[in-house]
Amino acid sequence: MSFSAGPVPERRVDIDLAALRHNVRHIAEIASPARVMAVVKADGYGHGAVPVAKAALEAGATWLGVAHIAEAVELRRAGIEAPILAWLHTESSDFAAAIELGVDLGISGWELAHVVAEARRIERPARVHLKIDTGLGRNGCPPEQWEALLGRALEHQEDGLLRVVGVFSHLAVADEPDREETDEQIDRFREAVAVAEDAGVDLEVRHLANTPGTLSRPDAHFDLVRVGLGIYGLSPFDGQSSEELGLRPVMSFRTTIANCKEVPEGHGVSYGLAYRTDKRTTLGLVPVGYGDGVPRVATGAPVSVGGRFYPVVGRIAMDQFVIDFEETGIADSEDSPLGQEAVLFGAGGGTPTADDWARASGSINYEIVTRISPRVTRRYVDSEAIDAEADQ
């Protein structure tokens, strides 16, 4: 694995691959003997799909999961040979590319005919995982159509056009551990698996659990767990932190203070002048905004400068926002914040977290990390290697 070198970018997210490997190993211990699928869709939740996938596999993940075939193709072109499952398709999806590259395909119903047609055309069997809707109501075969889907799939398997590799589904409320619907979904999944096995399907993998299901429901582990948020070190549970779950946040978002000035009481800040200072104070300009993926509505979110937290004031603009240092006499002093590092979120402790920004914007931590735009440089670091070098 190679890491970024040279000058530090003006605005960047640092991706700690050592933290990611730690999270994968920790989750693998929890899930054992089930195997781990590292979910790297949406460019690895904004962390970078290829470097994340390679690090996850190094740490013990045995499968990779993506939403779209195009995402799987990117991984194959990067030289990744591990099993990959892609599960969200349209009639325009490149099923032929998936089959040729050995990418497994999630099938809910209509996709089967398209996959079989491409497998026949290129004379190579597809690998498919049949999805049963156990209650989420998105993709997945309705239970009343399950036997018919199994029958069609087995007919095509007998013709050498595909192999049914797995059966899977997805949990709806596992992030709320007390919800009885998870029990119902697990029961429905077991029933669907039993029907498939009774029909003669020789399953390689049965998989249901997402990150919250993996962490809170051992009875949902089956043969394989699909973990997205957890490998990035974020908690899926309200009231339970990453640290409490033994996870380390992987992404930190950093820039520098681009301007610093003292303003009088009653001074307006940013578009609409929705915020005015309540006393004489010093304002700092942070050179990132919603064009970089910062939520426009996150007024009040914390930013760390010099180890102290300061609130975002006024509206967040496309390229910048303002924080209030709540002091005077510092703009032109030797201790001026101008040019100092500003951390939007990181691993906690001395920095805010993605959860802090999620609360400020009325969103979830998944969205905070995933939405960081390509304009922000990704810089890959390895805290294990840095610590080892420091010890020498």
Side-chain angles (χ1 to χ4, degrees), residues 20 23-24 36 68 209 245 253 280 304:
L20 187 134
N23 297 332
V24 172
V36 174
H68 306 304
L245 294 171
F253 191 174
R280 188 168 189 85
S304 175

Side-chain angles (χ1 to χ4, degrees), residues 285-324:
L285 189 68
V286 181
V288 294
Y290 62 78
D292 303 288
V294 178
R296 183 176 182 270
V297 297
T299 298
V303 175
S304 175
V305 181
R308 292 181 56 186
F309 290 10
Y310 302 98
V312 175
V313 295
R315 291 179 183 168
I316 292 173
M318 183 180 292
D319 310 300
Q320 56 199 285
F321 64 81
V322 176
I323 59 175
D324 189 346

Side-chain angles (χ1 to χ4, degrees), residues 36-117:
V36 174
M37 174 188 289
V39 178
V40 296
K41 62 181 181 177
D43 196 29
Y45 285 42
H47 294 66
V50 170
V52 161
K54 290 180 177 180
L57 293 169
E58 289 170 3
T62 56
W63 285 73
L64 299 172
V66 295
H68 306 304
I69 290 171
E71 296 174 311
V73 170
E74 178 191 3
L75 297 174
R76 284 285 187 254
R77 287 177 176 167
I80 294 172
E81 299 178 353
I84 304 172
L85 173 65
W87 53 71
L88 183 58
H89 319 298
T90 71
E91 291 186 354
S92 299
S93 295
D94 194 346
F95 296 113
I99 296 168
E100 289 173 340
L101 292 171
V103 174
D104 291 18
L105 295 167
I107 300 293
S108 296
W110 70 266
E111 310 98 327
L112 186 62
H114 294 263
V115 170
V116 167

